[in-house]
Amino acid sequence: MGAYFGVSTIFVFCLLGFSANAELFTIGAPSGSDITQALLKAFTSACQSPTASRVVIPKGEFKLGEIELRGPCKAPIEITMKGTVKADGNTNHGKEKWVVFGNINGFKLNGGGVFDGEGNAAWRVNNCHKTFECKKLPISIRFDFLVNAEVRDISSIDAKNFHMNVLGAKNMTMDNIKITAPEDSPNTDGIHLGRSDGVKILNSVISTGDDCISVGDGMKNLHVEKVVCGPGHGISVGSLGRYGHEQDVTGIKVINCTLQETDNGLRIKTWPSAACSTTASDIHFEDIILKNVNNPILIDQEYCPWNQCNKKKASTIKLANISFKKIRGTSGNKDAVKLLCSRGYPCQSVEIGDINIKYSGADGPATFQCSNVSPKLLGTQSPKACSAPVTKA
Ligand SMILES: *[C@@H]1O[C@H](CO)[C@@H](O)[C@H](O)[C@H]1NC(C)=O
Ligand SMILES: *[C@@H]1O[C@H](CO)[C@@H](O)[C@H](O)[C@H]1NC(C)=O
Ligand SMILES: *[C@@H]1O[C@H](CO)[C@@H](O)[C@H](O)[C@H]1NC(C)=O
């Protein structure tokens, strides 16, 4: 069991750009020990501090059990994690989370540390991608209801389920995040976001078994820039419409990203027999490099994995004001561009500009299909746009 020292030490952090007189709480524990209780204690004290405070997890490798670090706190908190924290290597069936940072205004997490989810045993029992009825596995890091937050220089490896989940954030920046898990690890989305407003994901590298970034319902104003994704299932908005009570998605921008060896590239997916009727609008992808990506550009309003829905019903999710511009590179299959919109609600205002996607397989060349959409074409398209007939509802 770790102890923690230095509760009353007052440090001046001017050189680090941190406000003066921040209170410092350092976890003092030998490498290999379990710091769950020590971290909870340090955080609780820091949260009570009337001035800005900082919790430091030093270099080393520590065990960390399920933990919730929640405010509200009296002043901003910075957590500097220099070492590696490791989760329990058992399956943790039925648990929904490992580490939670929640309900804090003025939150920083940084330090170059690593969250190791030890997911190997759990991946073998995960069936949530195949059925509605499955036992949950813990998400590695949950960021719940953070305001004015910054997560920087942090790695996540081998999550049992999603690596990071952002819910209810307002004004949050994630910069230089590194996410790694094997290509065949199920449901290990890199960063999933929903019901948040004003999140940036910058300069990050995500290699995992599911979506690199997935955008859930209620997401507003997401800016993704300079993210390298792969292997993984690409960057996706959705799936939307699986559950009732969903909220609109709007203001999604993905620019200057690279996708390499991913299954799907840039994707918007909605379930056909949607349980709700929402709108996803103002979604823009620009300056994207593709390296051997399957299904590089895909709007799929008949998303129905494992036949968990009625494909005969048209999706009731409305898609509008969407653009794909300056997207270039190589496809791993012939389906370079597929815009499959809902029969019930054809996509509105879709712009396609300067697409240059090559496919060199024997069943080529690359194709560009559209249904229930008449995209506005700008610049040049290769392959030629909408080689299949445009059908109307
Ligand atoms: C957003 O959060 C950052 C801290 O991460 C802060 O510096 C900035 O002032 C906030 N912006 C607004 C508009 O509140
Ligand atoms: C992508 O980066 C290039 C080079 O820095 C820049 O010129 C371009 O404007 C960026 N694209 C977007 C959409 O911002
Ligand atoms: C699409 O953009 C136009 C022009 O900016 C705007 O008037 C319209 O409300 C937008 N549609 C949706 C569904 O957001």
Side-chain angles (χ1 to χ4, degrees), residues 203-220:
N203 310 308
S204 295
V205 179
I206 304 175
S207 311
T208 194
D210 208 309
D211 294 340
C212 289
I213 295 174
S214 58
V215 179
D217 81 283
M219 188 67 214
K220 294 184 170 56

Side-chain angles (χ1 to χ4, degrees), residues 321-334:
N321 294 353
I322 293 167
S323 69
F324 295 92
K325 291 180 187 165
K326 296 193 203 148
I327 296 173
R328 59 192 185 276
T330 55
S331 180
N333 63 357
K334 65 184 296 189

Side-chain angles (χ1 to χ4, degrees), residues 250 279 281-282 320-321 349:
T250 189
T279 301
S281 62
D282 198 6
N321 294 353
S349 304

Side-chain angles (χ1 to χ4, degrees), residues 255-256 286-287:
I255 59 178
N256 271 319
E286 185 166 350
D287 280 319

